[in-house]
Amino acid sequence: MGECAVARFMIVTFLMLGWVFFELSGGTDFEPPQQEARPLNELLQAVEREERVEVAQAATSPSVAPIVSEEPSEDIAALTRARFSGANEALVTVLGTATAPVQPVEEAVAEPLVAASSTADIRAVSGTRVNMRNGPGTSFPILATLTRGAEAEVIAEPGNGWLQIRVSDTGAVGWMAESLMQPVN
């Protein structure tokens, strides 16, 4: 069979497949299913009605907490006051009667994880050249490259195969794969 015959065979095959697909999908009689068209304003009003019902139910249903002790200690009373000091302001904001503007939420600041043990966990790099990264994964940028034998203190070990470390020589903090570190004897 020549190249021309193979090309014709492929063209005819694709044309047949196209025709079969057209016929199986409904052909000229195909009509897409009709959806009920609802204006966007009507949908937004329905969502607002549901939210108002939920807020009203939350405002009218009392929240009951079990009594732990007849005479609470001073520690528990102080904790309760500190913990729920802003509860009334939050409820007023949710119900929509607050006159003060709502303050924006502050951005979360990433803080280094702290290990619970009091003794330093010192480990050495076991690979020839190993990348220390900005976060626990290979998608994070490389901060430094450490060579075999470089010692570092383990700051945190979250259990995901990565260690947050502080390099002994430079004090740089970053993340390294746990499998590339070995305990120092």
Side-chain angles (χ1 to χ4, degrees):
M1 210 185 238
E3 289 182 23
C4 187
V6 172
R8 284 186 200 155
F9 176 75
M10 289 177 60
I11 291 172
V12 170
T13 302
F14 280 113
L15 289 174
M16 291 295 293
L17 286 173
W19 177 75
V20 168
F21 178 75
F22 176 74
E23 287 298 321
L24 289 176
S25 65
T28 56
D29 298 332
F30 176 74
E31 291 182 23
Q34 297 296 321
Q35 300 267 339
E36 178 186 340
R38 293 174 60 186
L40 182 59
N41 289 340
E42 186 179 319
L43 292 172
L44 290 174
Q45 290 171 355
V47 169
E48 287 177 1
R49 281 193 300 270
E50 290 175 15
E51 287 177 354
R52 283 189 203 129
V53 169
E54 290 174 5
V55 169
Q57 288 173 348
T60 58
S61 52
S63 121
V64 179
I67 297 175
V68 176
S69 157
E70 291 295 325
E71 299 177 18
S73 68
E74 292 177 17
D75 294 337
I76 294 175
L79 174 64
T80 304
R81 280 194 301 275
R83 189 169 195 192
F84 296 107
S85 62
N88 291 338
E89 291 85 3
L91 182 60
V92 169
T93 302
V94 168
L95 294 176
T97 58
T99 56
V102 177
Q103 298 296 324
V105 177
E106 295 179 13
E107 290 186 29
V109 177
E111 297 180 16
L113 299 173
V114 179
S117 70
S118 60
T119 61
D121 181 8
I122 305 295
R123 300 191 190 181
V125 175
S126 62
T128 306
R129 291 176 51 88
V130 180
N131 293 329
M132 182 174 73
R133 297 186 176 269
N134 195 23
T138 57
S139 61
F140 289 92
I142 297 170
L143 297 176
T145 301
L146 303 178
T147 58
R148 184 184 310 265
E151 293 185 357
E153 175 187 358
V154 175
I155 298 173
E157 189 171 359
N160 60 357
W162 289 84
L163 300 173
Q164 187 178 29
I165 61 171
R166 179 179 294 119
V167 181
S168 299
D169 295 340
T170 63
V173 175
W175 292 82
M176 188 174 291
E178 186 175 8
S179 62
L180 299 171
M181 302 288 290
Q182 63 186 8
V184 175
N185 294 337

